[in-house]
Amino acid sequence: MTLRLLINTSLVISLLLCASVGFAQDNLNESESQSESSSTFFDSEDRQRFFAITIGGRKPFTSGDNFMGEGLSGKSGIDFKVQMYVYKHLFIGLATGASYFDVKNQELLGSYRKSRIAENYVYLGYEFLPAENLRLGLNIAVDGDLNYKNSGFRTSDIAEQHDSARLNRYGLYLHYELAKHFMIYFDYAYNVSKTNIDAPSQLEDFFRKGKYSTLGIGLVFTIGSRDLISRFLN
């Protein structure tokens, strides 16, 4: 287990413990008082949340004049996220996931047939409220890394090959509320992979950055009815 993964796991456990305490507190508050609050595009007190947990699938699409755009074809992927609302609809989150690709040009990339990218990142964002049952979120990764696992080599001498990269990610999503604490989501993300792949000097630019987008769909479960800071202010 890497240090980064250990830190992220510890944070998730701590956040979930806080959520269990916050959920119990919310139940008490809601039973004591059910007050009406104004709602705007930027804020709504009665639509605040403490935690959101999302799980879903995705379809990756490679693009650009780089090793991913020219050499890989996206197949499928999975997503898992936990995000905590810090103040009103401003949130911070932890995410893990994977995207799977077929190699469409072995002459460019090498004699393997498949590639999997495992993603781990911390992100910040804000939710807007365009309609009664809709939530529009924008987010950006502030710390992320990728692990490439290449497999399906022609020879039996190599089972798989690994490369690492840093992740820049910009995303948006739309949540549709089916119930107060249960939603479906659709999302889009633009990802830039800054790799550590060893390559000849004339090919460095081609292999230094890989670009791919993802379209996703899945389920959202929320916990609590007040953000973190509001719990101390109110």
Side-chain angles (χ1 to χ4, degrees):
M1 180 178 288
T2 65
L3 179 59
R4 180 181 299 276
L5 182 58
L6 180 62
I7 292 172
N8 288 348
T9 302
S10 300
L11 285 172
V12 170
I13 293 173
S14 300
L15 293 178
L16 291 176
L17 288 174
C18 291
S20 63
V21 175
F23 185 56
Q25 182 181 359
D26 282 329
N27 285 339
L28 289 174
N29 292 334
E30 289 177 4
S31 62
E32 291 173 357
S33 174
Q34 294 289 339
S35 60
E36 294 293 331
S37 61
S38 61
S39 179
T40 70
F41 180 75
F42 297 98
D43 181 34
S44 174
E45 184 177 344
D46 60 355
R47 294 180 68 185
Q48 288 180 359
R49 297 292 180 263
F50 189 25
F51 272 85
I53 300 169
T54 69
I55 183 168
R58 68 166 79 148
K59 171 68 175 179
F61 301 89
T62 59
S63 61
D65 183 17
N66 56 78
F67 75 98
M68 292 191 70
E70 299 293 334
L72 297 178
S73 175
K75 290 185 61 182
S76 61
I78 54 175
D79 271 309
F80 179 77
K81 300 183 182 73
V82 178
Q83 68 187 40
M84 179 179 68
Y85 294 85
V86 180
Y87 183 61
K88 296 187 177 180
H89 304 285
L90 175 70
F91 57 80
I92 183 171
L94 298 172
T96 186
S99 295
Y100 299 88
F101 302 85
D102 285 332
V103 176
K104 63 182 181 182
N105 192 331
Q106 292 187 343
E107 292 182 358
L108 284 175
L109 301 188
S111 59
Y112 57 91
R113 295 183 294 107
K114 300 179 182 296
S115 186
R116 182 222 65 189
I117 303 179
E119 306 166 355
N120 296 282
Y121 58 92
V122 179
Y123 62 95
L124 292 173
Y126 194 89
E127 272 186 0
F128 303 94
L129 307 172
E132 182 178 353
N133 294 321
L134 294 178
R135 294 170 179 264
L136 174 65
L138 302 177
N139 57 74
I140 181 172
V142 294
D143 182 29
D145 54 41
L146 303 175
N147 179 271
Y148 287 77
K149 183 176 77 172
N150 304 320
S151 59
F153 285 86
R154 293 176 184 173
T155 65
S156 59
D157 297 336
I158 304 175
E160 58 187 42
Q161 178 191 59
H162 291 264
D163 290 301
S164 61
R166 303 297 299 165
L167 172 67
N168 288 344
R169 183 184 185 278
Y170 312 91
L172 61 87
Y173 63 74
L174 188 68
H175 290 178
Y176 180 76
E177 297 174 340
L178 300 174
K180 183 172 182 179
H181 294 287
F182 178 61
M183 295 171 274
I184 59 173
Y185 79 82
F186 303 91
D187 72 358
Y188 168 81
Y190 177 70
N191 306 273
V192 179
S193 167
K194 297 183 177 181
T195 73
N196 296 315
I197 298 174
D198 292 328
S201 57
Q202 63 270 26
L203 296 176
E204 280 189 359
D205 290 341
F206 185 75
F207 281 98
R208 279 294 173 259
K209 287 186 179 181
K211 299 177 182 179
Y212 64 104
S213 302
T214 58
L215 290 175
I217 185 173
L219 302 176
V220 185
F221 305 91
T222 64
I223 300 172
S225 299
R226 287 195 301 165
D227 61 83
L228 178 65
I229 293 179
S230 294
R231 293 170 183 274
F232 298 97
L233 296 179
N234 301 328

